[in-house]
């Protein structure tokens, strides 16, 4: 019966997918069907159908490979786990209704087919949840690592002058990474002046300020000066309101002004040269 059901789905796949897409597009919370091209929607929907059929007659290894590939794709597309599960439920319901309409499912064999549907859908739902969770966790972890690396790099801009742009929320874990990259970069580039640019830090509270002060103290211990740049008016008000002591810092509102100050510290300046 499993193969008979799989053949029925394959033979009627266009009609099944058409009805499935109508139901899935009615989900107002799902952006995939509203922002993706018709070609991408068509391919992804057919891959979903192939996955559903694969569970009926493919080997366990082949099915698991399909499951992993499809799950990774829909995670990138932003499908929520609830949407994926809804897709499974809608697909199986449509298949049942179509088989009943075509008299494949009758009163005589309905119990057998109900057992088949249960054995078909239950392990698929469980497998989807497990695989989706693992894929999503891995994706988030990779994105987190990439963001940390991109937002905590010391960049040499002039001889003896380096800049570290900080982006996003600074928690204890990121503060440790910032400290490590900062000290390694100061030694590597032989920096005498380091500019910590907090333009991209949305909130500076007592904890964030504590991490910044620790970073500046560490820089001074390896023989370099540290400057805090990118202090917006609302950040300045927050710092004052919280009573955070930044008196040991040289601070500027913009990276440009900080760079001018850093050049002065290293006995240099930017001048305009008239063309001959």
């Amino acid at each position: 019966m499993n193969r008979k059901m799989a053949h029925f789905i394959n033979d009627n796949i266009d009609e099944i997918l058409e009805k499935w897409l109508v139901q899935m597009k009615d989900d107002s919370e799902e952006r995939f069907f509203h922002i993706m091209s018709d070609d991408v929607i068509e391919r992804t929907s057919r891959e979903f159908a192939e996955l559903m059929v694969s569970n009926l007659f493919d080997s366990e290894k082949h099915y698991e490979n399909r499951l992993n590939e499809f799950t990774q794709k829909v995670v990138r597309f932003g499908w929520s786990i609830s949407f994926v599960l809804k897709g499974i439920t809608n697909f199986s319901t449509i298949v049942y209704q179509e088989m009943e309409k075509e008299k494949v499912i009758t009163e005589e064999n309905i119990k057998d087919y109900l057992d088949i549907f249960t054995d078909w859908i239950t392990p698929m739902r469980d497998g989807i949840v497990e695989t989706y969770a693992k894929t999503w966790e891995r994706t988030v972890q990779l994105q987190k690592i990439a963001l940390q690396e991109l937002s905590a790099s010391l960049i040499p801009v002039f001889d003896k002058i380096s800049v570290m742009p900080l982006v996003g929320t600074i928690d204890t874990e990121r503060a440790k990474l910032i400290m490590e990259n900062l000290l390694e970069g100061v030694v590597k580039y032989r920096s005498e002046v380091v500019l910590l640019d907090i333009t991209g830090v949305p909130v500076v509270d007592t904890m964030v300020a504590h991490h910044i002060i620790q970073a500046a103290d560490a820089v001074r211990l390896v023989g370099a000066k540290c400057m805090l740049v990118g202090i917006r008016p609302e950040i300045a008000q927050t710092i004052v309101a919280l009573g955070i002591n930044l008196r040991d810092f040289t601070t500027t509102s913009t990276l440009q002004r900080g760079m001018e100050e850093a050049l002065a510290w290293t006995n240099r300046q930017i001048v305009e040269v008239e063309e001959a």
Side-chain angles (χ1 to χ4, degrees):
M1 282 189 172
N2 282 19
R3 289 189 174 276
K4 187 174 182 179
M5 188 162 74
H7 288 309
F8 177 88
I9 295 172
N10 285 329
D11 292 341
N12 298 274
I13 191 62
D14 290 336
E15 185 177 355
I16 292 172
L17 276 180
E18 183 180 352
K19 293 182 177 181
W20 182 79
L21 283 169
V22 170
Q23 291 189 8
M24 298 308 290
K25 286 179 179 179
D26 286 341
D27 189 336
S28 60
E29 296 181 359
E30 181 52 50
R31 296 171 59 247
F32 173 78
F33 292 106
H34 302 293
I35 65 175
M36 290 296 180
S37 67
D38 291 340
D39 183 53
V40 172
I41 292 173
E42 173 70 15
R43 288 202 313 269
T44 308
S45 299
R46 288 196 175 274
E47 287 179 25
F48 178 80
E50 289 170 2
L51 176 66
M52 296 290 291
V53 177
S54 174
N55 193 32
L56 288 171
F57 61 85
D58 277 348
S59 66
E60 184 176 348
K61 183 177 181 181
H62 189 245
Y63 166 70
E64 288 179 354
N65 288 337
R66 278 183 181 271
L67 178 61
N68 288 326
E69 291 175 3
F70 181 79
T71 303
Q72 289 174 20
K73 175 176 286 190
V74 296
V75 165
R76 292 197 301 271
F77 285 154
W79 285 25
S80 65
I81 185 62
S82 61
F83 187 76
V84 177
L85 295 178
K86 184 179 294 184
I88 295 173
T89 300
N90 288 348
F91 191 92
S92 62
T93 300
I94 292 169
V95 169
Y96 183 89
Q97 291 170 346
E98 291 300 305
M99 292 181 71
E100 195 174 36
K101 185 176 72 174
E102 296 297 325
K103 307 300 182 181
V104 177
I105 296 178
T106 63
E107 291 184 4
E108 290 74 23
N109 62 21
I110 187 171
K111 184 180 184 303
D112 292 333
Y113 270 108
L114 287 176
D115 290 340
I116 291 173
F117 269 82
T118 300
D119 293 340
W120 176 38
I121 296 304
T122 301
M124 173 167 277
R125 290 174 66 92
D126 294 343
I128 280 280
V129 170
E130 182 179 356
T131 306
Y132 193 97
K134 290 179 180 177
T135 302
W136 184 253
E137 183 179 351
R138 183 167 60 251
T139 301
V140 170
Q141 188 63 28
L142 290 173
Q143 290 175 341
K144 183 177 181 180
I145 292 172
L147 178 61
Q148 288 177 335
E149 291 176 348
L150 288 173
S151 63
S153 300
L154 190 67
I155 305 169
V157 290
F158 288 108
D159 182 37
K160 301 178 182 178
I161 300 175
S162 298
V163 176
M164 176 172 277
L166 302 179
V167 179
T169 304
I170 301 176
D171 54 17
T172 302
E173 184 178 346
R174 281 202 64 208
K176 181 180 178 182
L177 178 65
I178 289 169
M179 183 82 75
E180 292 174 356
N181 289 355
L182 186 60
L183 295 179
E184 289 176 4
V186 168
V187 175
K188 178 180 178 180
Y189 301 122
R190 299 181 180 178
S191 303
E192 292 184 5
V193 181
V194 173
L195 285 72
L196 290 179
D197 184 5
I198 63 170
T199 304
V201 178
V203 178
V204 175
D205 54 18
T206 304
M207 183 62 68
V208 173
H210 174 71
H211 291 317
I212 292 174
I213 291 170
Q214 280 190 324
D217 288 341
V219 168
R220 283 196 288 266
L221 287 175
V222 294
K225 296 181 180 179
C226 190
M227 187 187 310
L228 191 62
V229 304
I231 299 182
R232 306 184 301 280
E234 60 271 25
I235 296 297
Q237 291 177 355
T238 301
I239 290 174
V240 171
L242 293 175
I244 298 171
N245 183 8
L246 296 179
R247 293 185 179 86
D248 294 335
F249 277 91
T250 297
T251 60
T252 66
S253 58
T254 65
L255 178 59
Q256 180 182 356
R257 293 185 61 183
M259 192 61 65
E260 293 172 354
E261 187 73 21
L263 288 169
W265 284 357
T266 55
N267 299 316
R268 289 173 291 179
Q269 61 178 347
I270 298 176
V271 297
E272 293 185 5
V273 178
E274 295 182 1
E275 294 183 1

